């Protein structure tokens, strides 16, 4: 089955598509990184703040963009492609302040409409958001912040309903540096009366990206990228054109693909600063990583060594690269420890990896111990979420024989044309 080439607004269906990989081929060549999935989610929500057009560039052609577009359309927004990777969003005529539960269930980022709608309309409703099964995902940081800024939070049936007579700036303490929580509070605070400070804010590049977009719309946000973000509320915002940052998680996935297959790959269009933790750990494991402007060159020069990795909030190693790194470590000599410290249940992929011959044991739900190197054997496995799915594709590329990865729609939520991109590097991978 051919991958769609311009599926910006496609709806990825749970149609039983699988990826079939004949492993054991070293990857060679160059690949371009797409725009960041998670940065796009914040940017799309930001368009709800203004009646004017917002133009987004470098939008990845992935399932979650389609899902978020459906959420915005359910509120009365126009979301239309302007090019293969461009979007125009207009929210002049909002008809609802509460997206339907079935759409919200498709992706966690849909909860970002809360902060934006609260600021724009004074009220918003949303069911607890869906998303990957990777552990408990509370939203107390979002809701406590809305309350502290002068809104009432109620539960009406399955929905949270938030209302305000006017948001006021406040000094907020986030119990956890939540990425979406920080973004939601920034959206709400941009036009609040007075100044909001988020203490213990998330510092992820996707938060920085949203601050840059909001500032280009007329907001006054400083400190994004640190753990204290200050938002001086402004009277009104205006439309803007915003370019989405490169996807550091896709870039990292390709870097690991190069290393695990023993190939040599050039990854173009990356933001090196966003990849520092990954590059450091890959080098420690014996991978050669050459940095050159916005390009990474990755290859293996000899045996891989076991290392300990810890998934942490930025600038720690991204939790979204924890599973891909664990797969790489199955090929490293010695005993590697993988500690997941962001989510409390993000090692579910380990049982799939074991089917392929990996020697991995878990202690509790947050530590995996990997003994290597173990040859991986082609098997039938299931993508449990977007990153676990990507990790199993990496395992399939390194395995001998044929691997079938089912439930590929998870991967399509976050990776643009992953099979075509890997095929262009010499992988034998097909959608069936
Ligand atoms: N948390 C709280 N209270 C809250 C919110 C979160 O305690 O109110 C805790 C969670 O329980 C979890 C930790 O904070 O243990 C991290 O959650 P966070 O809220 O930071 O995650 P998120 O904002 O829901 C985003 C990304 C995830 C990424 C995480 C961590 C988007 C759309 N999603 O989720 O991306 O793993 O940040 O960096 O931006 C992915 O792309 O595959 C993905 C899951």
């Amino acid at each position: 089955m051919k991958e769609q080439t311009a599926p910006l607004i496609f709806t990825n269906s749970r149609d039983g598509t699988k990826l079939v990989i004949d492993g054991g081929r070293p990857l060679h060549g160059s690949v371009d990184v797409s725009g960041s999935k998670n940065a796009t989610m914040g940017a799309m929500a930001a368009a709800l703040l203004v009646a004017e057009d917002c133009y987004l560039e470098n939008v990845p052609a992935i399932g979650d963009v389609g899902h978020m577009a459906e959420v915005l359309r359910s509120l009365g927004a126009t979301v239309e492609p302007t090019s293969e990777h461009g979007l125009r969003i207009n929210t002049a005529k909002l008809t609802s302040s509460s997206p339907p539960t079935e759409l919200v269930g498709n992706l966690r980022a849909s909860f970002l409409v809360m902060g934006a709608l609260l600021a724009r309309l004074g009220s918003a409703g949303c069911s607890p958001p869906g998303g990957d099964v990777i552990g408990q995902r509370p939203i107390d940081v979002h809701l406590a912040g809305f309350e502290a800024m002068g809104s009432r939070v109620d539960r009406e049936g399955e929905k949270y309903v938030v209302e305000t007579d006017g948001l006021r700036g406040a000094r907020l303490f986030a119990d956890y540096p939540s990425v979406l929580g920080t973004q939601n509070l920034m959206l709400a605070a941009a036009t609040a009366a007075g100044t909001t400070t988020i203490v213990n804010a998330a510092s992820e590049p996707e938060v920085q990206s949203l601050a840059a977009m909001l500032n280009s719309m007329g907001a006054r946000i400083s400190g994004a990228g640190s753990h204290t973000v200050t938002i001086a509320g402004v009277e009104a915002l205006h439309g803007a054109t915003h370019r989405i940052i490169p996807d550091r998680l896709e870039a990292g996935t390709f870097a690991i693909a190069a290393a695990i297959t023993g190939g040599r790959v050039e990854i173009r269009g990356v933001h090196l600063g966003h990849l520092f933790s990954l590059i450091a750990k890959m080098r420690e494991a014996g991978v050669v990583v050459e940095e050159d402007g916005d390009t990474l060159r990755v290859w293996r020069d000899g045996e891989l060594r076991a290392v300990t990795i810890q998934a942490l909030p930025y600038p720690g190693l991204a939790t979204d690269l924890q599973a891909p790194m664990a797969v790489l470590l199955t090929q490293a000599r010695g005993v590697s420890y993988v500690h997941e410290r962001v989510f409390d249940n993000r090692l579910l992929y380990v049982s799939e990896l074991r089917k392929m011959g990996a020697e991995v044991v878990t202690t509790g739900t947050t530590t995996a111990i990997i003994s290597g190197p173990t040859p991986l054997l082609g098997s039938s496995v299931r993508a449990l979420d977007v990153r676990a799915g990507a990790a199993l594709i990496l395992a399939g590329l390194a395995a001998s024989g044929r691997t079938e990865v089912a439930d590929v729609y998870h991967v399509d939520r976050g990776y643009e044309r992953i099979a075509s991109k890997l095929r262009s590097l010499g992988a034998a991978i097909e959608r069936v």
Side-chain angles (χ1 to χ4, degrees):
M1 189 187 297
K2 194 174 176 302
E3 275 191 304
Q4 301 175 53
T5 48
L8 240 188
I9 300 296
F10 82 138
T11 321
N12 51 343
S13 56
R14 304 181 178 201
D15 60 1
T17 301
K18 291 181 181 179
L19 285 178
V20 176
I21 307 166
D22 287 313
R25 299 180 178 209
L27 301 190
H28 284 279
S30 298
V31 65
D32 292 315
V33 167
S34 298
S36 156
K37 164 173 91 78
N38 291 343
T40 305
M41 298 298 110
M44 291 177 78
L48 286 169
L49 287 168
V50 291
E52 293 161 25
D53 282 340
C54 284
Y55 291 92
L56 302 180
E57 298 171 349
N58 199 32
V59 176
I62 55 173
D64 272 3
V65 170
H67 287 138
M68 193 63 167
E70 285 176 34
V71 170
L72 296 188
R73 288 195 191 111
S74 76
L75 303 170
T78 303
V79 184
E80 58 182 28
T82 52
S83 64
E84 196 184 344
H85 293 109
L87 272 190
R88 179 178 78 91
I89 305 177
N90 185 285
T91 67
K93 296 193 186 101
L94 291 178
T95 51
S96 164
S97 61
S98 180
T101 299
E102 61 273 18
L103 295 184
V104 170
N106 284 334
L107 84 166
R108 193 159 176 83
S110 50
F111 207 66
L112 286 177
V113 304
M114 290 291 262
L117 291 173
L118 188 60
R120 174 93 177 267
L121 305 174
S123 70
C126 198
S127 310
D132 298 322
V133 181
I134 54 184
Q136 290 184 55
R137 299 184 78 179
I139 40 175
D140 50 292
V141 168
H142 312 231
L143 299 177
F146 295 150
E147 264 181 340
M149 292 170 69
S151 26
R152 297 169 300 281
V153 179
D154 289 309
R155 197 69 196 249
E156 281 180 15
E158 59 193 354
K159 291 192 175 183
Y160 287 101
V161 175
V162 189
E163 285 175 317
T164 184
D165 301 324
L167 291 171
R168 298 183 302 274
R171 194 168 166 81
L172 310 174
F173 172 68
D175 275 340
Y176 188 97
S178 161
V179 175
L180 289 174
T182 302
Q183 292 180 324
N184 230 341
L185 298 176
M186 284 163 53
L187 290 164
T191 52
T195 295
T196 300
T197 305
I198 309 172
V199 177
N200 200 28
S203 65
E204 269 70 2
E206 295 75 21
V207 173
Q208 300 174 39
S209 174
L210 177 60
M213 172 158 176
L214 291 171
N215 284 344
S216 72
M217 295 166 73
R220 289 173 51 213
I221 301 176
S222 56
S226 77
H227 290 299
T228 305
V229 176
T230 303
I231 305 117
V234 295
E235 209 44 42
L237 300 172
H238 50 77
T241 297
H242 175 72
R243 189 171 174 81
I244 303 295
I245 56 173
D247 196 308
R248 62 195 170 107
L249 308 169
E250 188 200 22
T253 304
F254 282 116
I256 295 169
I260 201 167
T261 61
R264 182 186 172 106
V265 174
E266 183 173 78
I267 303 149
R268 295 185 302 220
V270 305
H271 188 308
L272 285 176
H274 296 167
L275 289 161
F276 182 73
S277 53
L278 177 74
I279 293 171
K281 293 312 288 189
M282 288 184 76
R283 284 185 178 146
E284 191 185 326
V287 179
V288 186
V289 184
E290 196 176 88
E291 302 172 44
D292 180 8
D294 67 353
T295 298
L296 271 186
R297 288 184 203 93
V298 183
W299 68 97
R300 215 155 99 180
D301 184 15
E303 217 174 44
L304 295 176
R305 298 182 286 273
V307 296
T308 292
I309 61 167
Q310 307 200 41
L312 285 166
Y314 190 80
L317 184 74
T319 168
D320 302 312
L321 290 173
Q322 177 260 112
M325 270 301 279
V327 175
L328 180 68
L329 294 175
T330 65
Q331 303 308 300
R333 180 159 305 279
V335 178
S336 293
Y337 288 81
V338 173
H339 300 292
E340 169 59 52
R341 304 214 191 273
V342 176
F343 290 107
D344 55 22
N345 200 14
R346 211 176 194 180
L347 296 176
L348 292 173
Y349 66 89
V350 162
S351 53
E352 299 299 293
L353 204 50
R354 274 205 212 106
K355 287 186 197 163
M356 300 182 69
E359 276 187 36
V360 193
V361 293
T362 50
T363 64
T365 57
T366 56
T367 295
I369 304 169
I370 303 171
S371 304
T374 44
L376 297 176
L377 310 169
S379 312
S380 292
V381 289
R382 222 156 52 82
L384 302 170
D385 66 66
V386 48
R387 308 300 166 189
L392 292 169
I393 293 173
L394 294 171
L397 293 173
S400 58
R402 177 162 287 197
T403 294
E404 283 191 11
V405 182
D407 291 348
V408 153
Y409 63 87
H410 282 299
V411 181
D412 292 333
R413 287 182 50 192
Y415 288 86
E416 177 173 329
R417 295 184 297 108
I418 190 162
S420 316
K421 285 193 180 189
L422 288 170
R423 227 172 9 250
S424 76
L425 298 172
I429 177 169
E430 294 295 338
R431 301 174 80 87
V432 295

